[in-house]
Amino acid sequence: MIRDHAFKRRETTPAEREARKAFREVIPGKAMTDYAKAQKSFHENRERLKAERLAREAKAKARSPSD
């Protein structure tokens, strides 16, 4: 025979519920912060590389004879 008390869930205390609620709010926020940092870094690097490319192209155009 299966004992019923072996399958019952332990009730959470008010303190545990508050802790879970707090962690649920903090953890996704941290992940978004990390994501936002990565996106900002990516866009800054892309803009830097674009500026370098445009400078190289302008320099090469200035050196080449007129068309």
Side-chain angles (χ1 to χ4, degrees):
M1 179 175 256
I2 298 175
R3 295 182 184 174
D4 286 336
H5 67 83
F7 295 104
K8 288 186 181 177
R9 291 186 178 183
R10 184 178 65 83
E11 291 186 29
T12 57
T13 65
E16 288 174 327
R17 285 191 295 271
E18 287 296 318
R20 285 185 185 169
K21 182 179 176 184
F23 282 117
R24 259 192 309 239
E25 293 171 358
V26 172
I27 293 171
K30 182 181 183 320
M32 270 312 278
T33 301
D34 291 344
Y35 175 78
K37 286 179 185 177
Q39 287 296 307
K40 182 180 177 193
S41 176
F42 172 80
H43 290 296
E44 288 174 351
N45 191 42
R46 186 181 70 189
E47 290 298 319
R48 179 184 59 82
L49 293 172
K50 181 179 178 182
E52 289 176 4
R53 178 182 53 84
L54 292 173
R56 276 194 315 270
E57 289 174 356
K59 189 177 179 181
K61 190 173 186 180
R63 278 198 220 164
S64 68
S66 297
D67 292 330

